[in-house]
Amino acid sequence: MESNQIVYEECSWISDIVKEVVQIKHFIMNHSMRLAIYHEFVSLKLLSIVDTRFASMIVMLRRFKLIKSGLQNMVICDKWNIYRDVNQEKAKFVKEKVLDDFWWDLIDYILSFTAPIYDMLRICDTDKPCLHLVYDMWGSMIEKVKKVIYAHEVKRLDEKSTFYEVIHTILVDRWTKNNTPLHCLTHILNPSDQWLDEDPTLISPYKNKEINQERLKCFKKYFPNLNERDNVNLEYVDFASKNEDFRDFDSIQNRYSMDPKAWWVDHGACAPMLQNIALKLLAQPSFSSCAKRNWTTYSFVHSVRRNKMTPKHAKDLVFIHSNFCLISRKSPQYAEGETKMWDIGGDAFDLFEDIGVLEVANLSLDEPEMESGFFFQKKWIIWMKDFLLYYLMER
């Protein structure tokens, strides 16, 4: 109970800021005239982001930071004074907060110390192979968060910070729940060790006790036979120490210039058992959210009206829908025009700068230009699914 109380006391101000931002947004959007005044001063839309969306709080705060000057000009204009009479208390609250520099400083602070966390999650939440980057990104993210908090509190890194300890505990608890030995094994099998040059305090994976213990757990799981396990351990020794065929000049040079999976294809034949594991792990995405999106598609296919569809037919339609999305990404129209990135969800977040992400973070009726192209393509896919459904049922 005491630890929960400390967490609440140290972090409650963050929830307060978020609630105030939501109140301001609702006050503007729930009145047509206030919304019209807002559009006179701000070109960007106010987003309505559901809580289940990825980093919804951060996206909302980033949007408010972008429109800061427009909001301040809005609340001091003559028209605002006319339409504030509908609810003077809320209008006064909105004006005080928008013109309060300390309030904006707190928003900047939240965005600054959550930025490393947000960036890491955003990189990992894709369908791209990045399992080998998770362990290193985790350590770098913790250090970046610590530096931001200590700089804000004007403290040395060896001093105590209650707020950082709370944030660190939350992050460690989350890491403990999601971390697996595979993160460490894939980190070890990444041939590039350029990250060691970024921080002189870092050590090679084979010198790290924790990483090696996790590696041994994986090897015992993959190779229950003792002789096989001895062979793969010897292969790992050669790989880690750059001995035998791994000491070849091209092999060492390509560790820094080639994709990890491509490197193992090109130079890993001398360690076939280790190569087999590396090729499997280095092709894996780190999050399962990409796979979970199939269940969303499945819920559209197997609806109340189509509850008698056989599992095979439903599976075929989900497969077809997913491949339509992949095929559309290869077309020239996908990268340009009003319908570019029309299937944006999580896989393509890394293709956008901050403003771009915020512009398409919520596709609503408030975005008619985007919606027209989006629904056109969605209707086309729905029509194709209906046609294929009919074909499969008849077959």
Side-chain angles (χ1 to χ4, degrees), residues 108 128 136 145 159 166 175 180 207 248 258 291 320 322 327:
D108 290 338
K128 296 180 180 179
D136 179 44
V145 171
E159 293 183 290
V166 170
W175 171 255
T180 68
K207 297 180 180 178
D248 180 74
M258 293 182 69
I320 293 168
S322 299
I327 292 172

Side-chain angles (χ1 to χ4, degrees), residues 127-132 186 261 278-285:
D127 56 0
K128 296 180 180 179
C130 58
L131 189 64
H132 59 289
T186 315
K261 183 181 177 182
L279 293 178
K280 291 179 179 178
L281 294 179
L282 293 173
Q284 293 293 323

Side-chain angles (χ1 to χ4, degrees), residues 3 19 24 37 58 64 83 91 94 100 152 180 192 253 255 317 330 339 352 382 384-385:
S3 60
K19 289 179 182 177
I24 294 173
I37 299 172
I58 303 301
F64 262 69
Y83 291 101
V94 171
D100 185 357
H152 179 79
T180 68
S192 175
Q253 183 69 20
R255 283 176 179 249
L317 288 174
K330 297 181 181 298
T339 61
F352 283 80
I382 292 172
M384 288 297 296
K385 287 196 298 184

Side-chain angles (χ1 to χ4, degrees), residues 119-159:
D119 292 340
M120 177 182 174
L121 293 176
R122 193 170 144 190
I123 292 172
C124 292
D125 190 25
T126 67
D127 56 0
K128 296 180 180 179
C130 58
L131 189 64
H132 59 289
L133 303 175
V134 174
Y135 192 90
D136 179 44
M137 286 193 298
W138 162 255
S140 302
M141 180 265 289
I142 288 289
E143 289 301 316
K144 291 176 182 178
V145 171
K146 182 176 181 179
K147 288 180 181 179
V148 172
I149 293 176
Y150 273 72
H152 179 79
E153 297 181 355
V154 195
K155 291 182 177 180
R156 300 191 309 272
L157 294 179
D158 57 347
E159 293 183 290

Side-chain angles (χ1 to χ4, degrees), residues 187 189-195 239 254-258 260 263:
H187 174 63
L189 295 178
N190 182 11
S192 175
D193 56 1
Q194 284 184 316
W195 51 272
F239 164 72
N254 291 339
R255 283 176 179 249
Y256 310 103
S257 59
M258 293 182 69
W263 185 90

Side-chain angles (χ1 to χ4, degrees), residues 328-329 331-344 352 360 363 368-378:
S328 72
R329 292 183 181 184
S331 65
Q333 293 78 12
Y334 183 77
E336 58 187 17
E338 295 179 349
T339 61
K340 67 177 181 179
M341 312 295 181
W342 67 271
D343 61 338
I344 187 76
F352 283 80
V360 297
L363 294 174
E369 295 82 4
M370 178 70 80
E371 281 294 294
S372 60
F374 174 77
F375 280 117
F376 173 77
Q377 297 219 25
K378 289 295 287 185

